Amino acid sequence: MGIANIFSKSRDGDSGEKSPTPVQDILQTELSGEEGVIDEAQDDLHRGMRPRQLNMMAIAGAIGTGLVIGTGTSLKLGPGSLLIGYAFIGWVVYVVMVALGEMGAWLPMKKSFSGYATRFVDPAMGFATGWNYFFKYVIVLPNNLTATGILLQKWRPDINVSVWIVVFGVTIIALNMIHVSFFGEAEFWMSLIKALVILMLILLCFIIALGGGPNGVRTGFYFWKNPGAFAQYSTTVNDVTTVIPGTTGRFLGVWACLVQATFAYLGTELVGVAFGETPNPRKNVPRAVNQTLLRIVFFYIAGVIVLGMAVPYNSEHLLNATKKGTSGLASPFVVAAQVAGVNKLDDAVNGLLMIFTVSAANSDIYLASRTAWALAKDRQAPQLLQRTNKRGVPIPAVALSSIFIALGFMNATKSSSTVFGYFVSLVTVFGALNWVAVLVSYLAMINAMKVQGVPREVMPYRNPLLPWGAYIALFITILVIIFSGYSAFIPHFQVDKFLTAYIGIPVYLINICWWKFFKKTKRVRPEEVDLVTGRRS
């Protein structure tokens, strides 16, 4: 029910005085700085996530193997392309996070992104967003556990990967079954270790670039000139390499880095799901969102800059590393050390990468279970999934999410692992679609506020990039999604690449259309948007 449709009534029949309208209540309360309490009885999740845990998750929680290993593939396209890609998409990610932060600080919900889409846009969009997000994480969950097993095989090749999937699978299930504070504590320490690892690798590359390596060569920004900042795009199909020459090739190199950076940043919204289990969102949500900016600048941007200083894009070491799969040898940071004469770093990085993969798997269960719980609360999933125990843990939702660990056993055979690889590629586009859902939900909320006469000044957290930045970020994200499958057309059309790049889009749209048809839902009109329920009153 929109606040514009709520009429003020007399508080005292004899006096005839009118009570303030909800808009006046919002203005009076928010501008006076008073803070109320959300009725905890309305929701079953507990706000047990400590502020320091949330802040550390914002800083390093979503950093995975994409930064430590995936940047090698982008670096082959030139340090300039790499920097542009990560800086450009980093700005988009920050806008997504501050949009989520404005909604989370003013109207905190325990229903994740799907709840905002249902509330501000259309229940059908909330349904599609929630289930896409759920499937994204339950499919990458076994993939992360498989990567952990592969890393361990460097030292114990005699133990099958399936054994490690079971061992670490049981561990992370236990962490998610106990209490959100235990999950938060485990994620806090793993995130701290990840932050220290990244800082160590960045510092190592920086020292090497300044001539502090065993070879004593001071490269600085020499590799930006020779071989250059921008490489021509190339692709290999059936062992035949095709190079796109000239300006077109360099443009495609930059675009490839934009697409790869998009998928490297996916998962940053993890902290947004944790907002629902964080005490005092009005204070802690803005702080966590601002920590995201620090992560983007000091880890991603600084990381790609020092890599471009320490490793030339045409290095044979780099070209060989990108073929190593998931291991310490595949990291461009290890390549930088090898070029400078530092040996045996791959063993250390290989061991530390396990922290990244286990942390990612731990977060996967958390995100999937909370999303399933939120869908059940909105009656978009079986009602059993909304049940929680006395500690506020959604046990049925965690159990459902954990079942998908069994998909990791598909990697035991080559044929099934290929099929599973297609699944992983398929769901990665769901992450970008969820950015779209966050931005569309935010813009719908802002439009509703304008229609209902509620100024942005009543919001406890406002970012200067909004709302105008949300329109630009939405346009860029949609553009990246539409053209993310460019490689399927080079040098000729490839059906498998095309399907894995784009089939997620019709799946998302079909989910929206099916729920609209099945439930006869309608778009939420701006004047009917609920801007009262759950507000920090």
Side-chain angles (χ1 to χ4, degrees), residues 165-185:
I165 292 175
V166 173
V167 170
F168 288 99
V170 171
T171 302
I172 61 176
I173 291 173
L175 285 174
N176 279 271
M177 284 286 192
I178 304 172
H179 187 271
V180 69
S181 62
F182 286 90
F183 163 83
E185 196 65 19

Side-chain angles (χ1 to χ4, degrees), residues 45-46 49 110-112 114 133-134 176-177 179-181 183 273-274 277 364-377 391-395 397-398 401:
L45 296 181
H46 294 176
M49 187 77 70
K110 295 180 179 179
K111 296 179 182 177
S112 184
S114 60
Y133 205 64
F134 173 80
N176 279 271
M177 284 286 192
H179 187 271
V180 69
S181 62
F183 163 83
V273 178
E277 295 177 88
D364 291 339
I365 288 187
Y366 175 79
L367 291 166
S369 62
R370 269 44 178 191
T371 302
W373 177 89
L375 286 166
K377 293 293 286 188
R391 295 184 297 274
V393 179
I395 297 296
V398 173
S401 305

Side-chain angles (χ1 to χ4, degrees), residues 353-385:
L353 278 175
M354 289 195 302
I355 302 295
F356 287 70
T357 54
V358 172
S359 171
N362 189 37
S363 300
D364 291 339
I365 288 187
Y366 175 79
L367 291 166
S369 62
R370 269 44 178 191
T371 302
W373 177 89
L375 286 166
K377 293 293 286 188
D378 280 334
R379 299 188 177 280
Q380 295 169 341
Q383 295 301 287
L384 173 67
L385 297 177

Side-chain angles (χ1 to χ4, degrees), residues 205-211 217-225 305-311:
C205 285
F206 185 66
I207 293 172
I208 288 173
L210 295 181
V217 178
R218 182 189 179 101
T219 58
F221 286 94
Y222 173 77
F223 295 135
W224 282 64
K225 298 179 181 178
I305 288 175
V306 297
L307 277 176
M309 294 170 64
V311 183

Side-chain angles (χ1 to χ4, degrees), residues 39-59:
D39 184 5
E40 197 70 56
Q42 293 177 355
D43 263 322
D44 298 318
L45 296 181
H46 294 176
R47 294 189 179 274
M49 187 77 70
R50 298 172 184 173
R52 65 176 176 83
Q53 296 169 345
L54 183 69
N55 291 335
M56 185 54 68
M57 287 170 60
I59 293 173

